[in-house]
């Protein structure tokens, strides 16, 4: 359908009603003022001029021309009606003009509401010219244009028209409801302040996803006893991570959301799902019942609760109802903990990157300049200054050592766990790099499940491993380094051993490093173990959860000289 044809059917009821009401009003006033039905010809002309407003209100040319015609006819009609009223003696010329001039408000207000101030100003000019012409060309006993009442009426409506034209937009803004403009930083500050207050009021003054998940499993053990249970949450790459788990044996849960399982169905449907088989890939078979309950916060699924029993039909509708009564409130608590954990991780990573940039652009560059200065001093020494030359060579070697340490520190600050590579790959990369710089022979042993730990937990384990490897490189005087990484969520164990001289308790930075590692282990509810290695050296281990009980395939790699 052409644009003009489609415009014909778009009749705006409000515009039609406003004009028809105003036409009826000025018709009645004209008859009262003039007592002459012939003056209604002006009303008929106004009705014709209003047709574009009725049927083509959005037309680019017809609609504005229609408004110009309405204004011009109203101005001319004002002079004619004023003269007729003056002759009939019913009212004077000024009140006669007042009978038809109110119609000016209709086209002027239409232009103002369409945000066309230029058109409004042009319409005012046309109205003024039309009223002058109407007052001059219509002659009865005397010229209407000289009547004070006519001039006052015309001036009054021109002023009102100007107000309508130029104040309508301001009035519309004042009358419109105030929009809540987003204040992201102010809102973030308010929310973080509230979150801090909530965290301080909780048991242990913390928002720990693992702790909240363990508490949830303890509550569910009362209402729905079973043999295995776990709480899983979303991670990167469309996979799930195990936050907490209970049961006699550790299981390898299905952690992908694209598999044909009750886990995937519960996540997608946000409804509890039951199955007559286990949701664990390591299950040995036999009778089993499983119940998967989604943890929904608002409209978003944030995690799943899996309950399993080695008996058939263990989860009837009554049990499911009791379970959902517990998981409903727990979903909000877990969502707050996960968000808090994510915010903390983002802030920590950002701060590490900032420190790395400052060290690289500040201290590292200054030390390089110091090294250049020492080189220049060595080159310009006079003959016979052997003692000074030796001191400068020693100083240059120390500066080189410090620069190397700074570069390794920058590498440590920038190291992150790739969500595709995994924790073991990140630890291996760091150990290889530092082993190469120190001439260490690095031996790796990896036993990593396909399941993943939460990102914040993996980050803390990586930092603990980095600190242990750094201590072995800098202080142990070792030739070999053994790194073992075992991950079977929610269990994990990272062990770093060396064949050096052992840990010296009297070393000042040693106690500080131990304190940092212990704090990190405590933050993820793990334990730090430091013990001598036979026949020489030290073993540093961090253990998360209880020991895994499953058959696994281990990768054992020996990398000479860190390769």
């Amino acid at each position: 359908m052409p644009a003009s044809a489609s415009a014909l059917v778009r009749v705006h009821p409000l515009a039609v009603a406003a004009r028809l009401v105003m036409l009826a009003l000025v018709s009645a006033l004209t008859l009262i003022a003039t007592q002459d039905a012939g003056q209604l010809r002006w009303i008929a002309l106004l009705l014709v001029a209003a047709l574009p407003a009725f049927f083509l209100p959005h037309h680019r040319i017809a609609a504005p021309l229609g408004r110009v015609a309405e204004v011009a006819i109203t101005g001319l009609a004002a002079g004619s009606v004023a003269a007729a009223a003056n002759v009939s003696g019913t009212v004077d010329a000024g009140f006669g003009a007042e009978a038809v001039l109110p119609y000016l408000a209709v086209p002027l207000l239409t232009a103002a509401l369409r945000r066309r101030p230029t058109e409004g100003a042009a319409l005012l000019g046309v109205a003024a010219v039309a009223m002058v012409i109407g007052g001059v060309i219509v002659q009865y006993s005397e010229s209407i244009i000289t009547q004070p009442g006519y001039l006052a009426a015309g001036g009054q409506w021109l002023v009102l028209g100007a107000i309508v034209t130029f104040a309508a937009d301001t009035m519309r803004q004042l009358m419109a409801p105030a929009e809540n403009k987003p204040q992201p930083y102010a809102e973030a500050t308010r929310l973080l302040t509230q979150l801090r207050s909530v965290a301080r009021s909780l048991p242990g003054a913390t928002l720990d996803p693992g702790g909240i998940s363990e508490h949830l499993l303890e509550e569910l053990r009362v209402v729905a006893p079973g043999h295995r249970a776990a709480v899983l949450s979303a991670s990167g790459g469309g996979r799930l991570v195990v936050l907490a788990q209970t049961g006699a044996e550790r299981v390898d849960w299905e952690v992908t959301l694209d598999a044909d399982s009750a886990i995937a169905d519960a996540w997608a449907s946000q409804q509890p799902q039951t199955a007559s088989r286990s949701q664990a890939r390591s299950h040995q078979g036999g009778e089993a019942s499983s119940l998967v309950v989604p943890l929904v916060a608002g409209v978003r699924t944030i995690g799943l609760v899996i309950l399993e029993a080695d008996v058939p039909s263990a989860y009837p509708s009554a049990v499911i109802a009791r379970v959902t009564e517990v998981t409903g409130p727990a979903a909000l608590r877990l969502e707050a903990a996960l968000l808090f954990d994510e915010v903390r991780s983002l802030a920590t990573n950002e701060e590490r990157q900032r420190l790395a940039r400052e060290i690289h652009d500040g201290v590292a560059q200054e030390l390089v300049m110091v090294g250049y200065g020492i080189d220049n001093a060595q080159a310009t020494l006079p003959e016979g200054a052997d003692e000074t030359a030796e001191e400068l060579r020693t100083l240059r070697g120390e500066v080189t050592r410090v620069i190397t340490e700074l570069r390794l520190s920058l590498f440590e600050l920038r190291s992150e766990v790739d969500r595709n590579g995994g924790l073991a790959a990140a630890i291996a990369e760091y150990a290889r790099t530092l082993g190469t710089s120190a001439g260490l022979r690095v031996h790796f042993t990896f036993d990593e499940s396909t399941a993943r730990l939460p990102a914040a937990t993996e980050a803390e384990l990586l930092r603990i491993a980095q600190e242990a490897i750094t201590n072995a490189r800098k202080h142990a005087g070792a030739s070999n380094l053994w790194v073992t990484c075992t991950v079977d969520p929610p269990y994990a164990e990272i062990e770093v051993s060396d064949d050096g001289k052992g840990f010296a308790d009297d070393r000042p930075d040693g106690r500080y490093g131990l304190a940092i590692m212990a704090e990190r282990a405590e933050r993820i509810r793990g334990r730090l173990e430091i013990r001598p290695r036979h026949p020489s050296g030290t073993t540093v281990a961090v253990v998360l959860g209880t020991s895994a009980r499953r058959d696994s395939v281990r990768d054992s790699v020996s990398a000479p000289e860190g390769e």
Side-chain angles (χ1 to χ4, degrees), residues 413-432:
L413 285 172
R414 290 172 174 167
S415 296
E416 300 293 341
V417 179
D418 187 352
R419 294 309 294 169
N420 295 319
L423 176 62
I427 294 176
E429 181 185 7
Y430 184 79
R432 287 191 186 99

Side-chain angles (χ1 to χ4, degrees), residues 57-398:
H58 303 291
H59 197 278
R60 189 169 59 89
I61 298 175
L65 287 179
R67 288 190 286 271
V68 171
E70 287 179 294
V71 168
I73 294 171
T74 302
L76 295 173
S80 176
V81 173
N86 197 33
V87 169
S88 65
T90 308
V91 293
D92 64 14
F95 284 106
E98 291 278 2
V100 70
L101 285 177
Y103 192 84
L104 280 178
V106 176
L108 290 174
L109 184 60
T110 301
L113 292 177
R114 295 185 180 279
R115 300 177 183 269
R116 295 180 177 179
T118 303
E119 180 185 332
L123 292 177
L124 285 173
V126 172
V129 172
M131 281 188 284
V132 171
I133 294 174
V136 171
I137 65 174
V138 179
Q139 297 288 338
Y140 286 94
S141 59
E142 57 180 314
S143 179
I144 297 300
I145 195 63
T146 61
Q147 294 287 328
Y150 180 78
L151 293 176
Q156 171 188 333
W157 280 101
L158 288 175
V159 171
L160 290 175
I163 294 174
V164 169
T165 299
F166 299 108
D169 189 61
T170 303
M171 293 174 63
R172 182 174 56 251
Q173 293 177 0
L174 293 175
M175 295 175 64
E179 297 181 0
N180 294 324
K181 295 184 178 180
Q183 301 290 337
Y185 286 102
E187 184 69 9
T189 301
R190 182 182 66 82
L191 292 175
L192 288 173
T193 302
Q194 291 179 353
L195 187 58
R196 181 181 60 184
S197 301
V198 170
R200 289 177 175 175
S201 66
L202 293 174
T206 184
L207 281 170
D208 175 37
I212 291 176
S213 301
E214 288 180 353
H215 180 69
L216 174 58
L217 293 180
E218 291 176 1
E219 290 183 298
L220 293 175
R221 189 181 303 167
V222 177
V223 299
H227 296 90
R228 294 171 297 280
V231 177
L232 283 65
S233 72
S235 179
R239 299 178 67 84
L240 301 173
V241 296
V242 181
L243 296 178
Q245 181 171 281
T246 59
E249 295 184 358
R250 196 159 303 280
V251 296
D252 188 10
W253 297 105
E254 176 63 60
V255 294
T256 59
L257 294 176
D258 55 359
D260 182 14
S261 64
I263 289 178
D265 294 340
W267 187 278
S269 66
Q270 296 188 339
Q271 296 295 326
Q273 302 289 326
T274 57
S276 57
R277 61 183 178 87
S278 174
Q279 301 303 302
R281 290 175 290 190
S282 58
H283 193 257
Q284 300 300 320
E287 292 185 339
S289 300
S290 60
L291 169 63
V292 184
V293 181
L295 297 172
V296 182
V299 297
R300 191 168 67 95
T301 305
I302 62 167
L304 298 170
V305 174
I306 306 174
L307 305 176
E308 288 194 351
D310 292 332
V311 293
S313 304
Y315 302 105
S317 57
V319 175
I320 296 175
R322 292 198 299 268
V323 170
T324 54
E325 288 179 0
V326 177
T327 58
L332 184 60
R333 296 196 299 268
L334 183 60
E335 182 188 36
L338 291 171
L339 290 174
F340 185 78
D341 213 32
E342 184 178 357
V343 169
R344 182 172 58 187
S345 298
L346 290 174
T348 301
N349 291 337
E350 184 177 346
E351 182 65 12
R352 293 179 71 88
Q353 298 301 321
R354 185 189 66 82
L355 287 174
R357 289 192 299 269
E358 289 189 357
I359 292 174
H360 178 270
D361 298 337
V363 177
Q365 299 297 330
E366 292 175 3
L367 282 174
V368 170
M369 296 305 297
V370 170
Y372 290 157
I374 295 173
D375 292 339
N376 290 334
Q378 284 182 302
T380 57
L381 277 178
E383 294 184 3
D386 296 337
E387 184 176 350
T388 302
E390 181 61 28
E391 291 178 355
L392 288 176
R393 280 193 295 271
T394 302
L395 183 59
R396 186 64 175 89
E398 186 65 18

Side-chain angles (χ1 to χ4, degrees), residues 239 251-252 281 447-452 486-489 550:
R239 299 178 67 84
V251 296
D252 188 10
R281 290 175 290 190
D447 179 13
E448 193 170 23
S449 167
T450 56
R452 297 293 297 269
T486 304
V487 179
D488 183 17
R550 66 178 177 86

Side-chain angles (χ1 to χ4, degrees), residues 412 423-424 426-428 430-431 434 457-473 481-485 493-497 517 520 528 540-542:
E412 178 180 348
L423 176 62
I427 294 176
Y430 184 79
L434 266 69
T457 302
E458 289 186 337
E460 295 293 353
L461 290 174
L462 173 62
R463 303 307 173 200
I464 294 172
Q466 287 176 336
E467 180 68 24
I469 294 170
T470 299
N471 286 339
R473 179 187 66 84
L481 189 68
W482 291 268
V483 180
T484 301
C485 178
E493 180 178 2
I494 311 297
E495 185 178 279
V496 178
S497 300
M517 287 191 288
R520 292 187 183 279
L528 185 69
V540 177
V542 58

